Amino acid sequence: MSSKHRHDTYWFISVPAEGNKSVVFENLKSKLSAPGPDYAEVYQFIIPEFKIGTLDALVVISDELIKYDQSFESTAFKIVDILRTLLQGDLDQVAANLIVNDKSVEQFLKTFQWDTMKFRAEKSLQEIAQILNKEVASIDNIMKNKSGHYNQIKGNLQALERKQTGNLAVRNVAEFAKKEYFILDSEYLETLVVAVPKNRYKDWNSKYETLASMIVPRSSQKIAEDNDYGLFTVTLFKRVSDEFANKCREEKFVVRDFKYDENDMENQRKEFEEVGAVEKELAVELLRLATANFGEVFTSWIHLKALRVYVESVLRYGLPPDFMSAVIRPKFKMDKKIREILNNLYGKLDGLAYGRDENENIEEYQNFIDKDYYPYVYFHLEFDIYKR
């Protein structure tokens, strides 16, 4: 997908606010986005203040939030996969259904506001995280059950559809069967249907009466034909049916498992129609549910990102909380340039990870193990459905 943006990749960062969040934000924005350099879009990511317990408690919840983050991401992409299946792989249609609070993913992040009614800031960080996790886990379970039921019905429909397609060696015989082709209600005789390869018609006509004893002479007639096979009827005594079927297999003639029964054929037709109607109904309902629940999951996911930024900022910068948080959406192939700018702006925050050379340029220590560690708080979200 060609675009100036690398679609739906977002960085969540925070840096010390030094008592003035708006000044720090505007300074960051001026270094990264138009009308100056055009390396990224930058949005302020406003997070309320929360009740803070002990340092040990913050470390514990930081670890829990990592697990929740991975779980929320998994649930969000499961829903995307459901939409992809329902919309037959049309990714533009999938993207059109990824709506969060009546907004696109990008617009939701650009205008993010903490839901103070649903996730009250006076609750502990642990309580808020558990509320978020409980909600997403519930949605994950609902979607698992609903999609499982839909896939079962869809599988049933596909099995029925396979009987209506394919060549005459496998296709449902009922659509070609007419009552006059068959001997019915006979104590001794029955009519079989055999799929004969088109290049073996001559062999069939010369051999079928001799494949077993007690075959009714000249009883075979062709009732259907496709590119590969012809369907032929043959009438014989019931007691030689097995012998005849075995001889047919040796000759590569396919005896079809079919008995003419009008009630059975009508029931098959009704089943196909009913299963098809149920599949359509469930698909519509699952599409509605997936679209609605994606919005709920993504909302919870971004609230969780906010918690992670808050907790990590307090652990990194100390108390009282005084930091500016922002969302950066890098433009195509601009990651490295943005990193350089951020390191020049904030490299002094952490001498352990970064040092300055003689020319005052920021350089990462080569032996630093965690490649995602930066002197500023950093988390990312990559939500590019076109790359999956």
Side-chain angles (χ1 to χ4, degrees), residues 133-148:
N133 185 55
K134 184 177 180 180
E135 181 171 288
V136 173
S138 175
I139 289 172
D140 187 83
N141 191 50
I142 289 169
M143 295 307 299
K144 180 180 179 181
N145 291 334
K146 292 288 186 180
S147 63

Side-chain angles (χ1 to χ4, degrees), residues 22 86 155-156 331 341:
S22 60
L86 292 172
N156 293 345
K331 296 198 173 180
I341 293 170

Side-chain angles (χ1 to χ4, degrees), residues 45-70:
F45 191 54
I46 299 173
I47 305 172
E49 289 199 16
F50 300 101
K51 290 168 62 176
I52 299 171
T54 65
L55 181 63
D56 286 346
L58 283 179
V59 172
V60 169
I61 193 162
S62 177
D63 290 340
E64 289 180 354
L65 293 176
I66 294 171
K67 296 173 187 174
Y68 292 164
D69 199 342
Q70 294 168 344

Side-chain angles (χ1 to χ4, degrees), residues 186-315:
S186 169
E187 184 177 352
Y188 301 106
L189 297 173
E190 68 175 337
T191 302
L192 300 182
V193 178
V194 183
V196 178
K198 289 185 77 171
N199 61 358
R200 300 288 309 284
Y201 284 2
K202 186 176 180 181
D203 290 336
W204 168 259
N205 287 322
S206 65
K207 290 182 178 181
Y208 80 87
E209 292 182 10
T210 63
L211 292 176
S213 60
M214 308 179 81
I215 306 296
V216 177
R218 295 182 297 281
S219 62
S220 179
Q221 60 177 316
K222 185 172 69 175
I223 62 173
E225 184 177 63
D226 63 14
N227 292 332
D228 302 310
Y229 290 88
L231 275 187
F232 289 80
T233 59
V234 59
T235 301
L236 69 169
F237 277 74
K238 291 179 180 180
R239 66 182 187 177
V240 299
S241 293
D242 289 343
E243 179 190 353
F244 180 80
N246 289 332
K247 291 291 186 181
C248 280
R249 275 194 291 274
E250 292 174 8
E251 294 288 341
K252 309 300 183 188
F253 304 143
V254 182
V255 177
R256 299 299 313 278
D257 183 15
F258 177 79
K259 304 293 183 187
Y260 187 90
D261 184 319
E262 290 180 339
N263 289 333
D264 187 48
M265 289 191 292
E266 177 63 17
N267 289 338
Q268 287 181 26
R269 186 188 64 77
K270 285 182 178 179
E271 181 187 17
F272 184 72
E273 290 177 356
E274 288 170 1
V275 173
V278 170
E279 189 272 341
K280 285 187 176 66
E281 185 180 316
L282 289 177
V284 169
E285 172 62 14
L286 188 58
L287 179 62
R288 183 197 65 77
L289 200 61
T291 301
N293 280 336
F294 172 81
E296 293 295 326
V297 169
F298 196 85
T299 298
S300 295
W301 193 11
I302 302 307
H303 279 75
L304 188 87
K305 291 289 190 187
L307 287 186
R308 291 197 72 187
V309 171
Y310 187 88
V311 169
E312 186 64 24
S313 298
V314 172
L315 288 172

Side-chain angles (χ1 to χ4, degrees), residues 95 102 116 133 153 159 200-201 208 290 333 363:
D102 298 321
T116 54
N133 185 55
I153 297 300
R200 300 288 309 284
Y201 284 2
Y208 80 87
K333 292 187 176 179
E363 59 180 16

Side-chain angles (χ1 to χ4, degrees), residues 333-347:
K333 292 187 176 179
M334 290 295 170
D335 296 35
K336 186 175 180 181
K337 184 64 179 176
I338 295 168
R339 287 291 182 207
E340 290 174 359
I341 293 170
L342 293 177
N343 290 342
N344 278 306
L345 285 172
Y346 309 122

Side-chain angles (χ1 to χ4, degrees), residues 5 28 34 65 119-120 149 217 309-310:
H5 289 293
L28 170 66
L65 293 176
F119 311 112
R120 296 184 180 278
H149 180 49
V309 171
Y310 187 88

